[in-house]
Amino acid sequence: MLAAALNEAGGYELVGETTFGKGTVQQSYDFGDGSEMNLSMFRWLTSAGNDIHEEGVEPTIEQTQPDYFYATALAIDEPLEPNDNNDQVRSAQEILLGLGYEPGRTDGYFDEQTENAVIAFQEMADDLDVNGTINEETAQALHTSIVEQIREPSNDRQLNRAIEVILEQAS
């Protein structure tokens, strides 16, 4: 809603990607038996009267983030190892790639190149077993490292593009 208002009422550029499009307001009702019901009661409209529900707000300047910004955290029940093929491996591959290691693929198949990337990551860490598999400790270290990478302002493409736009408009 803020992005739409900035654009429609203020004429400001919107840098990024189309928003999710949640445009309803829900109200919760608690019942005496401990149950609860949520009802969608209202719709948010932009300052120009547009309904964004399930539509989102389109940016005026499209700018994506690196894929690793969207990688899901690893939930390791059993170690990930060569020949595994699943979404957890895919997330690990995206994280490794974002950290500068070369897993060779990001399709979720744990091959030799992915194993070598895991080994290279484990060798750089102080307290990880270097074995090429992703256990809880390696998964946590990958998560911590990628969060640090995401928090680094120089890696935020949308922020940096927005700053460029502001500087261009100011000159």
mmCIF file of all heavy atoms in Angstrom, residues 12-13 21 26 29 81 136 147 154:
data_model
loop_
_atom_site.group_PDB
_atom_site.id
_atom_site.type_symbol
_atom_site.label_atom_id
_atom_site.label_comp_id
_atom_site.label_asym_id
_atom_site.label_seq_id
_atom_site.Cartn_x
_atom_site.Cartn_y
_atom_site.Cartn_z
ATOM 1 N N TYR A 12 6.525 8.917 -7.355
ATOM 2 C CA TYR A 12 7.849 8.349 -7.144
ATOM 3 C C TYR A 12 8.033 7.056 -7.928
ATOM 4 O O TYR A 12 7.083 6.308 -8.150
ATOM 5 C CB TYR A 12 8.084 8.077 -5.653
ATOM 6 C CG TYR A 12 8.160 9.342 -4.845
ATOM 7 C CD1 TYR A 12 7.046 9.810 -4.159
ATOM 8 C CD2 TYR A 12 9.349 10.073 -4.772
ATOM 9 C CE1 TYR A 12 7.103 10.980 -3.416
ATOM 10 C CE2 TYR A 12 9.414 11.245 -4.032
ATOM 11 C CZ TYR A 12 8.295 11.695 -3.357
ATOM 12 O OH TYR A 12 8.359 12.854 -2.639
ATOM 13 N N GLU A 13 9.266 6.798 -8.331
ATOM 14 C CA GLU A 13 9.609 5.545 -8.998
ATOM 15 C C GLU A 13 9.552 4.415 -7.977
ATOM 16 O O GLU A 13 9.849 4.615 -6.796
ATOM 17 C CB GLU A 13 11.028 5.612 -9.588
ATOM 18 C CG GLU A 13 11.225 6.691 -10.627
ATOM 19 C CD GLU A 13 10.622 6.356 -11.969
ATOM 20 O OE1 GLU A 13 10.098 5.240 -12.158
ATOM 21 O OE2 GLU A 13 10.661 7.237 -12.844
ATOM 22 N N GLY A 21 0.558 -8.790 -3.438
ATOM 23 C CA GLY A 21 -0.829 -8.503 -3.764
ATOM 24 C C GLY A 21 -1.821 -8.845 -2.677
ATOM 25 O O GLY A 21 -2.939 -9.254 -2.959
ATOM 26 N N GLN A 26 -8.231 -8.701 7.389
ATOM 27 C CA GLN A 26 -8.955 -9.759 8.096
ATOM 28 C C GLN A 26 -9.205 -9.348 9.544
ATOM 29 O O GLN A 26 -8.399 -8.663 10.159
ATOM 30 C CB GLN A 26 -8.163 -11.061 8.064
ATOM 31 C CG GLN A 26 -8.099 -11.663 6.677
ATOM 32 C CD GLN A 26 -7.458 -13.031 6.698
ATOM 33 O OE1 GLN A 26 -6.701 -13.377 7.579
ATOM 34 N NE2 GLN A 26 -7.782 -13.825 5.676
ATOM 35 N N TYR A 29 -12.189 -13.357 15.184
ATOM 36 C CA TYR A 29 -13.241 -13.477 16.189
ATOM 37 C C TYR A 29 -12.934 -14.702 17.037
ATOM 38 O O TYR A 29 -12.793 -15.811 16.520
ATOM 39 C CB TYR A 29 -14.620 -13.634 15.522
ATOM 40 C CG TYR A 29 -15.050 -12.389 14.778
ATOM 41 C CD1 TYR A 29 -14.810 -12.264 13.418
ATOM 42 C CD2 TYR A 29 -15.675 -11.345 15.456
ATOM 43 C CE1 TYR A 29 -15.187 -11.116 12.738
ATOM 44 C CE2 TYR A 29 -16.060 -10.193 14.782
ATOM 45 C CZ TYR A 29 -15.815 -10.083 13.430
ATOM 46 O OH TYR A 29 -16.187 -8.956 12.754
ATOM 47 N N GLU A 81 23.809 -35.842 0.814
ATOM 48 C CA GLU A 81 25.035 -36.443 0.309
ATOM 49 C C GLU A 81 24.907 -36.744 -1.183
ATOM 50 O O GLU A 81 23.810 -36.649 -1.746
ATOM 51 C CB GLU A 81 25.377 -37.697 1.100
ATOM 52 C CG GLU A 81 24.260 -38.683 1.198
ATOM 53 C CD GLU A 81 24.523 -39.768 2.229
ATOM 54 O OE1 GLU A 81 25.292 -39.557 3.189
ATOM 55 O OE2 GLU A 81 23.936 -40.844 2.066
ATOM 56 N N GLU A 136 23.768 -31.016 9.938
ATOM 57 C CA GLU A 136 23.191 -29.849 10.607
ATOM 58 C C GLU A 136 24.207 -28.732 10.792
ATOM 59 O O GLU A 136 23.880 -27.558 10.604
ATOM 60 C CB GLU A 136 22.610 -30.245 11.970
ATOM 61 C CG GLU A 136 21.258 -30.923 11.872
ATOM 62 C CD GLU A 136 20.613 -31.098 13.230
ATOM 63 O OE1 GLU A 136 20.545 -30.116 13.998
ATOM 64 O OE2 GLU A 136 20.164 -32.219 13.515
ATOM 65 N N VAL A 147 23.148 -15.413 5.082
ATOM 66 C CA VAL A 147 22.458 -14.277 5.710
ATOM 67 C C VAL A 147 23.407 -13.076 5.780
ATOM 68 O O VAL A 147 23.003 -11.942 5.499
ATOM 69 C CB VAL A 147 21.896 -14.656 7.100
ATOM 70 C CG1 VAL A 147 21.460 -13.423 7.880
ATOM 71 C CG2 VAL A 147 20.732 -15.621 6.953
ATOM 72 N N SER A 154 26.005 -3.886 -0.362
ATOM 73 C CA SER A 154 26.527 -3.896 -1.736
ATOM 74 C C SER A 154 25.942 -5.036 -2.567
ATOM 75 O O SER A 154 25.989 -4.996 -3.796
ATOM 76 C CB SER A 154 28.056 -3.985 -1.730
ATOM 77 O OG SER A 154 28.480 -5.201 -1.148
#
